[in-house]
Amino acid sequence: MTEPAARGADFGALLVPVPMRTAGQRIAERLVTAIALGEFEPGQRLPTERELAATLEVSRTTVREALQRLQAAGYVTTRRGRGGGTFIQTGAGPGSEEMIKRTLVPAWDQLTELLDYRRLIEQQIARTAAERRSGADIETIRRVVAEYAHAVGRDASRLADHALHQAIARATHNPRLAELSARIRREVGLGFDAEPYTPHMRRRALRQHPTLAEAVIAGDPDRAARLADRHFSLTDDMLTELRARLHMRTGGENDARSQGQ
Amino acid sequence: MTEPAARGADFGALLVPVPMRTAGQRIAERLVTAIALGEFEPGQRLPTERELAATLEVSRTTVREALQRLQAAGYVTTRRGRGGGTFIQTGAGPGSEEMIKRTLVPAWDQLTELLDYRRLIEQQIARTAAERRSGADIETIRRVVAEYAHAVGRDASRLADHALHQAIARATHNPRLAELSARIRREVGLGFDAEPYTPHMRRRALRQHPTLAEAVIAGDPDRAARLADRHFSLTDDMLTELRARLHMRTGGENDARSQGQ
DNA sequence: GTCTAAAGGACTGGTTTTTAGACCATTTTG
DNA sequence: CAAAATGGTCTAAAAACCAGTCCTTTAGAC
């Protein structure tokens, strides 16, 4: 569709706006989104400014700029001194829901598209893994599934989840596919290599993981694909719930220029 | 593995850099994507630098920086004077693509891996397209298949082939998947000296294309996937041909099934 | 031909953003 | 109390970006 016209074609749609947000703004938005998706528990401490600067590959000044935005918006508080740091503000009031909406809505379509992308890729990964897994793969997958069952707490769960999907991705014996999977998962985590997380989701994942793993181990591609498809729609469901809870509308809402400060 | 430290969450291993791309880089990437997706016809003229600066809301300096990147990478050429401008490079010119080829052309085992990767991705694309294609998609696919049959010569065939697979990729209604497909096809094309074409291959494609298209149109995911799988497993022939053409040696025989990282 | 308009190319000066680093202030821990 | 770990502050320099001016090349009009 959209055949380019003879001359003076319709660049319009695909090549127009270039938002020039500063690094501080982008980092702040990323963190707000992460908070909205439940990446952090209330009261949880973020890495130190110096750590963040190092891992985000950005100067500490920039990190501080982002954190100060969050602080001003009431998402976090900071404490000085040893053992201090930046802490997720517990029970961000209804006032900050507005902020979440403002940050989240413009990115909504993009997020949905990304999750769909991941679902399709992971589906194919599961299918291929079921076709190609070797004895060593089976062993690894078994071990990792067991570890997931024992993991307690959200961080441990995330690591175990990551390990399982990585094990399956590697069982495809195509490094590029495995790398793609890892990259998408990282992106979904909004830079935090972690999924949106709720206890409810963990229970579901806990049920689904062994089944998926068994399908791969058993060498049943279609079943593996079907299960992966269902498994990776978890996040979709969560987003839907979030949208309902925030009474968000994802229609036009094309937030144009909000040149703060 | 990577036991979380006693204190606080193990962000250290999980955080990922925020790439601080400059505006020039981002614009260049956007254009490369659009070109890879076939948004432009070869030889087509982009808007003038001054127009681009206005519509992208950046300075002309920044636009020029982006365009110079594209030029250096061989995606576009520029002509000065009245009626001049920036033009999409018609695929044939291997002159400036030499450099890209050098960087992209993988070692032997990596090429094998790349082709396998493509096969898996395109398989999933065919499957998804068969599930999601709309009436408009069907129309486009029908038209493009017909065009392929009429195409004569190497360039025309290649363009028609590209058009068909792009039409199918778009029928997935996931832009990222379509982009991935385009990127892989481009990389494969460069890896094969931009001419993976023999009369024999064309005859085969001429037989396979309508069948694949019909499966997508008919909405038969499994059949579409199977056909795509077969279609994209011309790899043996291609590899043999490539080896002959480039007098390549298979090098270190790094088992492509290696568990990198 | 000559002239003019429309393009890219090159430069200048100035503002904002980002960086790297040193140093200060505060708080916990040994 | 001393050490260590944290956020807070400041400065100088680099990089990115911008707005504008002028130059060079080229096609088309006269």
Side-chain angles (χ1 to χ4, degrees), chain B residues 19-248:
Chain B
M20 262 291 297
R21 271 118 76 245
T22 70
Q25 283 173 316
R26 291 196 306 260
I27 293 173
E29 282 166 16
R30 185 187 285 196
L31 284 168
V32 167
T33 298
I35 291 171
L37 280 174
E39 298 291 339
F40 308 124
E41 295 176 355
Q44 185 174 2
R45 200 193 74 169
L46 294 179
T48 70
E49 295 177 352
R50 288 170 176 88
E51 278 178 305
L52 277 175
T55 48
L56 298 179
E57 290 175 17
V58 295
S59 75
R60 199 181 144 211
T61 316
T62 303
V63 169
R64 281 181 57 74
E65 202 240 320
L67 292 180
Q68 271 155 18
R69 285 173 187 277
L70 292 187
Q71 199 177 4
Y75 288 105
V76 299
T77 54
T78 58
R79 285 206 299 277
R80 296 176 66 166
R82 179 166 180 165
T86 307
F87 299 84
I88 304 295
Q89 179 69 306
T90 99
S96 43
E97 286 195 345
E98 269 306 310
M99 200 183 69
I100 303 179
K101 203 175 77 178
R102 291 257 163 64
T103 357
L104 277 189
V105 156
W108 187 259
D109 46 3
Q110 285 173 342
L111 194 50
T112 310
E113 177 187 306
L114 171 63
L115 290 171
D116 183 54
Y117 183 48
R118 181 180 66 159
R119 199 159 61 100
L120 295 173
I121 296 294
E122 293 291 345
Q123 185 185 333
Q124 178 71 346
I125 284 177
R127 184 187 309 274
T128 309
E131 280 167 359
R132 300 186 178 177
R133 83 278 182 271
S134 69
D137 296 325
I138 291 178
E139 224 173 278
T140 306
I141 292 174
R142 282 230 162 87
R143 181 167 47 75
V144 168
V145 168
E147 276 166 16
Y148 189 92
H150 296 146
V152 286
R154 164 176 322 177
D155 284 340
S157 288
R158 235 192 16 220
L159 281 176
D161 187 81
H162 175 75
L164 173 61
H165 290 301
Q166 179 179 285
I168 293 178
R170 279 188 174 162
T172 64
H173 294 274
N174 186 306
R176 302 187 61 133
L177 203 51
E179 189 200 327
L180 177 65
S181 164
R183 216 168 43 231
I184 295 175
R185 277 206 309 279
R186 178 180 173 82
E187 199 178 334
V188 170
L190 287 173
F192 280 98
D193 200 9
E195 44 176 277
Y197 172 87
T198 65
H200 174 242
M201 281 177 57
R202 180 171 188 278
R203 280 196 303 278
R204 228 162 118 176
L206 207 50
R207 273 202 322 273
Q208 294 182 339
H209 277 167
T211 338
L212 171 58
E214 270 312 315
V216 171
I217 290 172
D220 184 344
D222 286 331
R223 185 146 166 275
R226 211 165 47 246
L227 290 170
D229 188 57
R230 198 173 311 155
H231 179 64
F232 283 101
S233 61
L234 303 171
T235 59
D236 286 345
D237 293 351
M238 292 167 109
L239 280 175
T240 307
E241 191 193 336
L242 177 69
R243 175 185 263 149
R245 174 137 35 90
L246 299 185
H247 307 104
M248 277 177 64

Side-chain angles (χ1 to χ4, degrees), chain A residues 61-103:
Chain A
T61 315
T62 304
V63 168
R64 283 182 56 75
E65 203 241 320
L67 291 179
Q68 272 155 17
R69 284 173 188 275
L70 292 187
Q71 199 177 3
Y75 287 108
V76 299
T77 55
T78 59
R79 286 205 297 277
R80 297 175 65 165
R82 180 166 180 160
T86 307
F87 298 84
I88 303 295
Q89 182 68 302
T90 61
S96 59
E97 274 201 355
E98 274 308 308
M99 183 82 164
I100 292 180
K101 277 207 271 193
R102 238 181 313 146
T103 307

